[in-house]
Amino acid sequence: MRPIDKGSWPTKDSHATRKRVFNDWTRAIPYLKGRTGRYCHLCELKVSNAMAIEHIKSKKYFPRLQAHWDNFLLICNYCNSHKLATITISPYKKTYYWPHLNNTIMAFDFRITGEIIPNRTYLTTKPQIDRASATIDLYGLDKVVTAQGNSDDRLKDRLEAYKQAIDRFIEFSTGKASIHAIVDNAKNTGFFSVWLKVFNSVPNVKAALIDCLDFHLATTYCFNSTYQPIPRNPTFTADPI
Ligand SMILES: [Zn+2]
């Protein structure tokens, strides 16, 4: 899961210090798209049609947060449909991992088989693994059908991204694919985590993927100068990611 930075609460054009009102929360979508791209904050699917606002704390139980910028994520309709079937458990910051709060590239493993599982390279204790599993369950990140029983394109598109990434890896190994072409391909398919995993052993491609502005990664907080992932808030929390 891509770690992102939503930035601060958007302000009114006429009053740079006054927060924009999001009583209609769909009006936050253009701001989130502009700041974080067209990729689902949770599953990393590239979304060409309508995206949804996820209220981390539900509108039903926390009505005062329904227009609150900090409570928004930008997600695809598949993640949204699974979330609608359940609710976020409190305290949400300790129960789940979040792309705007944690370095989520360290929390989840996008496997070549299509599964998404807790990343045991970095998560070593049962509470950490349970926390990653809870996030996967909350949004049905590992599902193959939607909550309504329809085909879930997240798995299909994730596997397609893997196929293309491996094809480019083979081409790159034989001098037939440029770094620029690889990054362009990654932007097209989405699933940054898949591309990063396939090219993890190729430092210059890995660096180009992490530095690609289209992915809007919270690079400053989440990677060191040698492009290794680092804990996002080490002084704020003892959590390793
Ligand atoms: Zn999604």
Side-chain angles (χ1 to χ4, degrees):
M1 189 183 291
R2 203 174 43 120
I4 47 109
D5 183 2
K6 295 192 294 176
S8 56
W9 193 316
T11 53
K12 296 185 175 181
D13 293 338
S14 53
H15 297 87
T17 58
R18 290 182 61 184
K19 291 176 178 172
R20 195 167 281 274
V21 177
F22 292 116
N23 289 332
D24 173 1
W25 46 85
T26 61
R27 295 194 171 188
I29 290 176
Y31 292 96
L32 288 165
K33 264 190 203 166
R35 294 177 178 189
T36 63
R38 297 197 60 101
Y39 309 100
C40 175
H41 284 179
L42 299 166
C43 72
E44 304 187 21
L45 182 75
K46 184 178 182 182
V47 183
S48 52
N49 50 8
M51 300 188 81
I53 289 289
E54 155 67 349
H55 288 86
I56 296 169
K57 289 190 162 189
S58 79
K59 303 188 289 292
K60 181 176 177 184
Y61 297 109
F62 300 91
R64 284 192 299 174
L65 294 177
Q66 68 180 7
H68 199 292
W69 174 258
D70 292 348
N71 199 34
F72 296 158
L73 289 176
L74 184 64
I75 67 172
C76 72
N77 286 323
Y78 299 108
C79 289
N80 198 30
S81 78
H82 280 282
K83 174 64 186 301
L84 292 174
T86 183
I87 60 165
T88 314
I89 296 169
S90 293
Y92 78 95
K93 289 183 182 176
K94 291 185 175 177
T95 308
Y96 310 94
Y97 287 116
W98 299 101
H100 61 307
L101 300 175
N102 304 107
N103 185 355
T104 37
I105 205 73
M106 301 168 78
F108 304 100
D109 184 2
F110 283 50
R111 304 191 76 198
I112 194 166
T113 47
E115 301 162 274
I116 297 178
I117 62 172
N119 190 338
R120 290 173 189 266
T121 301
Y122 300 105
L123 307 180
T124 54
T125 68
K126 186 171 185 305
Q128 293 162 5
I129 290 167
D130 287 349
R131 191 171 160 189
S133 295
T135 313
I136 292 166
D137 290 346
L138 184 64
Y139 295 100
L141 296 179
D142 56 347
K143 297 285 190 258
V144 296
V145 294
T146 66
Q148 291 76 36
N150 301 317
S151 172
D152 188 325
D153 283 344
R154 293 178 298 181
L155 173 65
K156 181 168 68 70
D157 288 3
R158 200 158 65 241
L159 289 171
E160 176 61 26
Y162 248 118
K163 179 188 169 301
Q164 294 189 29
I166 291 167
D167 285 347
R168 295 299 85 73
F169 181 85
I170 293 167
E171 289 173 5
F172 183 77
S173 305
T174 54
K176 291 179 185 153
S178 69
I179 295 175
H180 184 75
I182 292 167
V183 173
D184 273 352
N185 199 159
K187 289 191 296 191
N188 265 332
T189 63
F191 298 105
F192 170 82
S193 293
V194 165
W195 287 83
L196 191 67
K197 187 168 180 180
V198 170
F199 284 95
N200 193 44
S201 62
V202 187
N204 44 358
V205 178
K206 181 179 174 181
L209 287 165
I210 291 171
D211 286 336
C212 174
L213 297 179
D214 292 63
F215 288 123
H216 297 273
L217 263 65
T219 312
T220 309
Y221 308 115
C222 296
F223 295 91
N224 65 17
S225 58
T226 58
Y227 296 95
Q228 298 302 311
I230 52 175
R232 189 162 187 167
N233 292 303
T235 56
F236 172 69
T237 169
D239 193 272
I241 70 165

